[in-house]
Amino acid sequence: MLYSLALLVLMDPSIGVQPLQMDALKASVPFNSYTQAYHEAQRTKKPLILILNSGDAKEPAVQFVDLQKTKQRRELLDSYVVAVIDVSTEHGKTVHGLFDNQPLPHVAVTDREQKLQVFRTSRKLQGEDWNLILTRFQKGASTAKLNLDFPDCPFCK
């Protein structure tokens, strides 16, 4: 009996893992397809963070692992669907065009209904910038605003 259980675990590492833990594991992996991420964001009513990278190793890129550096950001990321797109692929070129071929890397956040871009930037983002972005847009409200040049501006919120 114990031998059979051990074989099952070796063949399927998800055995014995609680469903919530499996969902958490899935949530920590970004989509590489904007289409799939868009549909998942619509289904779950979560805002979508889209990260567009050039695909050229010599160019700067936004790495998903950098978003996950702190516990606070990992928890905030649970409120989002994330897509990291390489614009050197055919799919990536199409998505880049949908987002006006902005300079790369580029980050956009859409509301929970996937109707409006509530934030977008091509500036280099630091840790505190990500904290502000993830906190401000976590509910996916279409009225949320953020100006990273003046983050404490009452008219920008």
Side-chain angles (χ1 to χ4, degrees), residues 74-93:
R74 286 190 300 274
E75 289 172 356
L76 287 167
L77 280 166
D78 289 340
S79 300
Y80 293 89
V81 172
V82 180
V84 179
I85 308 297
D86 175 350
V87 303
S88 67
T89 66
E90 285 305 312
H91 175 71
K93 289 174 188 171

Side-chain angles (χ1 to χ4, degrees), residues 91-142:
H91 175 71
K93 289 174 188 171
T94 302
V95 174
H96 194 206
L98 291 173
F99 286 81
D100 300 327
N101 294 309
Q102 293 292 316
L104 299 172
H106 185 72
V107 174
V109 179
T110 61
D111 70 342
R112 69 178 164 266
E113 300 297 324
Q114 304 313 302
K115 293 184 179 178
L116 295 172
Q117 276 187 62
V118 291
F119 177 79
R120 66 188 208 172
T121 188
S122 290
R123 72 181 266 176
K124 182 174 173 41
L125 298 172
Q126 304 298 321
E128 187 55 35
D129 297 329
W130 280 113
N131 293 343
L132 289 167
I133 292 165
L134 293 172
T135 301
R136 182 67 47 88
F137 302 110
Q138 69 181 333
K139 293 189 173 138
S142 60

Side-chain angles (χ1 to χ4, degrees), residues 1-148:
M1 172 85 168
L2 187 58
Y3 178 75
S4 299
L5 229 59
L7 279 177
L8 278 174
V9 170
L10 288 174
M11 291 186 325
D12 185 0
S14 68
I15 290 179
V17 176
Q18 298 295 327
L20 288 175
Q21 291 171 326
M22 288 300 291
D23 287 344
L25 290 172
K26 291 176 187 170
S28 65
V29 178
F31 287 86
N32 61 6
S33 163
Y34 175 68
T35 307
Q36 291 173 349
Y38 177 87
H39 289 300
E40 179 64 11
Q42 275 191 321
R43 185 185 73 75
T44 59
K45 298 289 186 209
K46 290 182 177 181
L48 171 66
I49 296 176
L50 174 68
I51 299 169
L52 299 172
N53 287 320
S54 73
D56 183 346
K58 296 175 187 170
E59 297 292 323
V62 175
Q63 302 296 328
F64 184 68
V65 68
D66 291 336
L67 273 70
Q68 299 176 302
K69 280 191 175 177
T70 68
K71 182 180 180 199
Q72 174 194 13
R73 288 201 301 244
R74 286 190 300 274
E75 289 172 356
L76 287 167
L77 280 166
D78 289 340
S79 300
Y80 293 89
V81 172
V82 180
V84 179
I85 308 297
D86 175 350
V87 303
S88 67
T89 66
E90 285 305 312
H91 175 71
K93 289 174 188 171
T94 302
V95 174
H96 194 206
L98 291 173
F99 286 81
D100 300 327
N101 294 309
Q102 293 292 316
L104 299 172
H106 185 72
V107 174
V109 179
T110 61
D111 70 342
R112 69 178 164 266
E113 300 297 324
Q114 304 313 302
K115 293 184 179 178
L116 295 172
Q117 276 187 62
V118 291
F119 177 79
R120 66 188 208 172
T121 188
S122 290
R123 72 181 266 176
K124 182 174 173 41
L125 298 172
Q126 304 298 321
E128 187 55 35
D129 297 329
W130 280 113
N131 293 343
L132 289 167
I133 292 165
L134 293 172
T135 301
R136 182 67 47 88
F137 302 110
Q138 69 181 333
K139 293 189 173 138
S142 60
T143 56
K145 305 281 182 241
L146 177 64
N147 182 336
L148 289 177

